[in-house]
């Protein structure tokens, strides 16, 4: 059936019919909201390159996490900025580390909110790399033990799920094994399975003070040009015990999200990263585009591509917008 009998515009005539035939819709359940937690109390530092996002001390975090929960968002993702950094990132696996304190407080004070913790070394090492440095290089195998210790300390503090973002080979298996040996068989792993070496992490490195002090992350994060390799990385993480797989960043990698959603049957998360957030905020501030509409369009595109879960700094705003609609 072709024009003039068939007219696709018939089903676009008015919001009611558009709503009826809409293929993709967003809900609060889709989102995970990331937080940056710092030492101290009463701290609420605005992050210059991420308007609307703050570094929060634990007491402030508890308030904001309660707001996230009241919006119906099921989970938050915690990043820590420690008091001091050292060569071996000891703040990452310290029992009284910043993320451990935050997880503990949240579990005591906010019910019915999943606490997911980022497991990585880069916020805790003086050199800013995601692993231990040996002879000027990131030492994969020596790092695994520290990542497993970090994950275990998060579980002991009350985290519900751990999210390794370091991209060392074998880390998901090492973490699963350590959690299980210590009785944490119910703690799940959301693996940053296909994480690319991306320029879109720029604002995050301001927020988390985690830029590498020498070199770059190309020897562990993936080459943006590769997609078959992403499938290989994801299948390895699944074999090692991942419960949720992730593609990161989201927007320049929608094809990878689509492909992963077709090839794998685990829940698929996509990380709408800091640079993707800040680009829209900056353009909206300049009046160059409508920030709210751009936000909803981008989030919808990530879901349409096949993501089941979207980690995004827009989560609160998006839910407020959905409630108004
Ligand atoms: C740490 C980590 C990074 C992000 C999440 N975990 C930065 C990086 O790999 O340099 C980026 C998140 C964002 O940009 O929003 N390994």
């Amino acid at each position: 059936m072709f024009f003039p009998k068939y007219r696709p515009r018939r089903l676009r005539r008015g919001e009611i019919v558009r709503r009826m035939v809409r293929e993709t819709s967003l809900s609060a359940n889709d989102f995970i909201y990331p937080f940056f937690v710092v030492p101290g109390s009463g701290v609420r530092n605005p992050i210059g390159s991420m308007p609307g996002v703050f570094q929060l001390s634990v007491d402030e975090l508890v308030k904001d996490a309660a707001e996230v929960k009241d919006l119906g968002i099921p989970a938050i993702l915690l990043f820590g900025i420690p008091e001091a950094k050292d060569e071996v990132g000891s703040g990452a696996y310290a029992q009284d580390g910043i993320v451990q304190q935050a997880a503990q407080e949240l579990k005591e004070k906010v019910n019915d909110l999943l606490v997911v913790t980022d497991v990585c070394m880069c916020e805790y090492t003086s050199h800013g790399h995601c692993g231990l440095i040996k002879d000027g290089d990131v030492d994969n195998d020596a790092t695994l033990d520290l990542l497993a210790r970090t994950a275990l300390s998060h579980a002991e503090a009350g985290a519900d799920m751990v999210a390794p973002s370091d991209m060392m080979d074998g880390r998901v298996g090492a973490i699963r094994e350590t959690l299980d040996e210590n009785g944490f068989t119910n703690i799940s792993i959301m693996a940053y399975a296909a994480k690319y070496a991306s320029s879109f992490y720029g604002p995050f490195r301001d927020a988390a003070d985690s830029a590498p002090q020498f070199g770059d992350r190309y020897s562990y994060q993936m080459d943006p040009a590769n997609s078959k390799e992403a499938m290989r990385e994801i299948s390895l993480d699944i074999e090692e015990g991942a419960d949720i797989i992730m593609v990161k960043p989201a927007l320049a990698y929608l094809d990878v999200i689509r492909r992963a959603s077709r090839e794998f049957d685990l829940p698929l998360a996509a990380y709408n990263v800091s640079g993707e957030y800040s680009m829209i905020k900056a353009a909206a501030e300049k009046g160059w585009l409508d920030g709210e509409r751009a936000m909803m369009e981008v989030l919808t595109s990530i879901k349409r591509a096949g993501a089941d879960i979207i980690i995004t700094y827009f989560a609160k705003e998006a839910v407020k917008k959905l409630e108004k609609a």
Side-chain angles (χ1 to χ4, degrees):
M1 198 167 52
F2 296 105
F3 178 83
K5 262 167 113 184
Y6 178 60
R7 292 175 181 269
R9 285 186 58 195
R10 281 187 201 118
L11 297 184
R12 295 179 202 141
R13 293 174 58 84
E15 181 52 18
I16 306 271
V17 68
R18 289 196 294 269
R19 211 170 76 202
M20 188 176 75
V21 300
R22 189 158 289 145
E23 298 171 35
T24 309
S25 54
L26 294 167
S27 95
N29 293 329
D30 299 330
F31 300 125
I32 298 180
Y33 186 74
F35 278 113
F36 300 97
V37 54
V38 292
S41 65
V43 182
R44 184 170 279 275
N45 288 335
I47 297 160
S49 53
M50 299 176 72
V53 182
F54 300 82
Q55 295 176 332
L56 301 173
S57 51
V58 174
D59 53 332
E60 297 292 320
L61 168 68
V62 166
K63 295 181 205 162
D64 284 27
E67 182 202 353
V68 168
K69 178 211 140 162
D70 290 341
L71 285 166
I73 297 167
I76 60 168
L77 175 60
L78 287 183
F79 293 96
I81 297 111
E83 192 92 58
K85 303 179 191 245
D86 60 32
E87 281 282 299
V88 294
S90 44
Y93 38 91
Q95 235 169 22
D96 60 348
I98 187 68
V99 164
Q100 291 81 352
Q101 288 178 37
Q104 206 167 353
E105 279 287 300
L106 286 167
K107 280 292 129 185
E108 272 173 33
K109 303 209 166 124
V110 189
N111 296 325
D112 301 325
L113 180 69
L114 275 182
V115 175
V116 187
T117 55
D118 183 78
V119 173
C120 194
M121 308 291 293
C122 66
E123 298 102 314
Y124 304 90
T125 52
S126 43
H127 45 74
H129 277 289
C130 303
L132 282 180
I133 300 292
K134 215 189 266 168
D135 304 326
D137 194 21
V138 177
D139 185 337
N140 192 87
D141 298 12
T143 303
L144 297 183
D145 182 43
L146 299 183
L147 292 169
R149 277 173 66 185
T150 303
L152 176 60
S153 69
H154 292 176
E156 285 168 344
D160 300 290
M161 187 183 296
V162 294
S165 67
D166 53 284
M167 287 300 277
M168 296 302 121
D169 296 331
R171 80 270 163 79
V172 173
I175 289 171
R176 184 71 271 160
E177 198 181 352
T178 298
L179 289 175
D180 289 354
E181 277 169 8
N182 288 276
F184 292 104
T185 51
N186 289 330
I187 301 296
S188 37
I189 301 178
M190 176 165 71
Y192 288 70
K195 176 173 176 180
Y196 289 89
S198 172
S199 58
F200 290 101
Y201 307 149
F204 174 96
R205 291 179 189 173
D206 267 0
D209 184 23
S210 65
Q213 299 303 301
F214 66 90
D216 53 45
R217 301 211 202 288
Y218 280 93
S219 79
Y220 41 104
Q221 298 180 350
M222 284 183 51
D223 184 334
N226 295 353
S227 143
K228 280 191 285 189
E229 186 190 1
M231 300 307 110
R232 182 84 197 122
E233 277 284 5
I234 293 171
S235 51
L236 287 172
D237 282 6
I238 293 174
E239 281 167 39
E240 289 178 31
D243 301 284
I244 298 176
I245 52 178
M246 192 200 301
V247 172
K248 174 184 175 192
L251 292 184
Y253 302 88
L254 290 175
D255 59 317
V256 180
I257 294 173
R258 163 55 96 219
R259 191 166 172 183
S261 81
R262 290 230 167 107
E263 291 190 24
F264 303 100
D265 55 9
L266 263 67
L268 173 62
Y271 201 139
N272 177 219
V273 301
S274 57
E276 299 172 341
Y277 171 84
S278 301
M279 280 195 304
I280 290 180
K281 287 288 175 193
E285 265 176 27
K286 282 188 172 285
W288 288 352
L289 50 69
D290 177 333
E292 274 200 346
R293 282 186 54 204
M295 161 181 81
M296 296 311 274
E297 189 172 333
V298 152
L299 295 174
T300 301
S301 78
I302 297 170
K303 182 123 184 238
R304 193 191 62 229
D308 304 297
I309 298 166
I310 306 172
I311 304 166
T312 180
Y313 306 96
F314 283 125
K316 288 193 292 183
E317 271 173 88
V319 172
K320 287 176 195 164
K321 175 93 181 150
L322 288 169
E323 281 174 354
K324 268 190 277 167

